[in-house]
Amino acid sequence: MGGHVSDSKVIDSFELRIEDVDSVDIEQLHALSISVGWPLRAEDLKFLREFGRGYVALDEIGRVAGSAMWFPHGEGFATVGMVITSPRLQANGTGQWLMHQVLADCQGRALRLNSTRAARRLYDSIGFQPIKTVYQCQGVVHLPAETAMVPEGTTVRPLGAADLPAVVELDARAFGVARDVLIGKLFPQSVGYGLFRDGALAAFALCRPFGRGHVVGPVVAADDAEAIAVVRPHVLHHAGSFLRLDTHREGGAFAGFLARVGMSVFDTVLTMSLAREGVEEKPAATEGTVTYGLVSQALG
């Protein structure tokens, strides 16, 4: 994390100082996320802070006016998230100031993030390049009308602790980077289903409490049929309650399935990456085994 951070800057008539994100109460971070309409629970923020690192901007009386975090995956890659600026300061450079602190921490790492429309100009100015759209699909789900179809020669079953190494390996193949620490932290708080072919894990979907209900992610599969087969049990389990899944899949059978069970597209964000001199890019898989559902917008 480095030493104690203390930097200050006058933004309009506000004197702001930067502190480590660990220095403030979760309730303060929660109030900041609510101020911009993000439906995160205090528990979601606690998880992000335990896994990640970052900074907050505090005003003269100690209120949190902004935040920016980064989440390491191995030595050479990180995702960036929780980049929030209080609505009263959004046009005043606070976000850029916080992001430059994150970039200084992340020298030597390739970076990826998911940008809201409001933050797009900020990331453009830093040099992030757009990759693809994320569709935030959510709603109160209902039992799918169609009969369950599992791809021929496969079985779907709940995942247990013994399946964790195979889940980590399959996720790394799809995401482009091993996320063993993150997946290891998610696994105990998630319910998982895996699709097995000849005894080997071929697809999986994890589901955990998040935001207004539960989120399904990560979801990793080789095609739409596999992805539907591992997401469907979560829909059955949560019928009548709120479920969310963030996906890059724009059309096809998987997107159609989400819409039919009640997870319509609520919003979109843009996945962006920052190429850095001397740092190898870490592209996600675009064919073969791919990521059908994100862990979250902050974590990719």
Side-chain angles (χ1 to χ4, degrees):
M1 185 75 75
H4 179 72
V5 178
S6 190
D7 191 2
S8 66
K9 180 184 179 103
V10 176
I11 305 274
D12 280 0
S13 58
F14 295 104
E15 163 107 23
L16 295 179
R17 69 183 189 277
I18 279 189
E19 297 286 350
D20 194 289
V21 71
D22 288 336
S23 70
V24 297
D25 292 337
I26 284 292
E27 288 71 23
Q28 291 176 277
L29 280 181
H30 195 216
L32 178 69
S33 68
I34 288 170
S35 75
V36 292
W38 289 12
L40 297 170
R41 304 172 307 150
E43 295 89 338
D44 302 326
L45 295 168
K46 200 175 294 184
F47 180 85
L48 289 174
R49 195 163 70 170
E50 284 170 3
F51 179 63
R53 307 167 194 182
Y55 301 96
V56 288
L58 304 177
D59 68 13
E60 311 99 310
I61 59 172
R63 291 177 300 184
V64 177
S67 66
M69 295 189 67
W70 61 280
F71 307 94
H73 304 285
E75 294 298 313
F77 182 80
T79 54
V80 175
M82 277 300 291
V83 182
I84 304 175
T85 307
S86 171
R88 67 199 168 109
L89 296 174
Q90 273 174 358
N92 296 328
T94 304
Q96 193 147 30
W97 187 38
L98 287 160
M99 275 299 296
H100 281 299
Q101 298 279 349
V102 167
L103 293 177
D105 278 1
C106 292
Q107 301 219 12
R109 293 177 185 268
L111 298 177
R112 201 184 302 166
L113 57 77
N114 291 299
S115 172
T116 61
R117 279 180 286 279
R120 176 72 192 272
R121 186 178 298 175
L122 167 63
Y123 299 133
D124 281 341
S125 73
I126 295 169
F128 279 86
Q129 298 295 314
I131 307 173
K132 52 192 169 184
T133 299
V134 176
Y135 299 89
Q136 181 179 328
C137 303
Q138 63 184 51
V140 175
V141 294
H142 49 78
L143 301 176
E146 67 264 23
T147 311
M149 292 291 292
V150 175
E152 195 174 339
T154 69
T155 56
V156 173
R157 66 161 171 82
L159 295 171
D163 298 307
L164 178 57
V167 167
V168 168
E169 194 274 329
L170 204 62
D171 178 74
R173 198 186 310 168
F175 191 74
V177 177
R179 301 193 287 180
D180 46 328
V181 175
L182 173 61
I183 302 297
K185 286 180 180 292
L186 288 175
F187 213 68
Q189 55 181 271
S190 302
V191 171
Y193 286 92
L195 179 140
F196 292 81
R197 184 177 286 106
D198 298 325
L201 183 69
F204 72 87
L206 302 185
C207 180
R208 69 190 189 282
F210 182 86
R212 291 172 55 191
H214 285 72
V215 65
V216 184
V219 180
V220 171
D223 58 36
D224 285 16
E226 288 186 3
I228 292 168
V230 290
V231 170
R232 183 188 168 90
H234 295 301
V235 174
L236 295 174
H237 184 68
H238 292 285
S241 58
F242 186 88
L243 205 56
R244 171 174 169 176
L245 191 153
D246 293 72
T247 184
H248 289 117
R249 315 304 285 189
E250 182 178 7
F254 182 71
F257 168 79
L258 295 181
R260 280 197 306 282
V261 301
M263 281 188 275
S264 55
V265 176
F266 172 75
D267 200 3
T268 60
V269 295
L270 188 64
T271 302
M272 305 182 78
S273 69
L274 182 64
R276 314 189 81 179
E277 195 174 339
V279 179
E280 184 188 349
E281 275 291 302
K282 308 283 185 180
T286 54
E287 51 188 47
T289 300
V290 299
T291 300
Y292 269 79
L294 278 60
V295 172
S296 69
Q297 290 182 8
L299 298 170

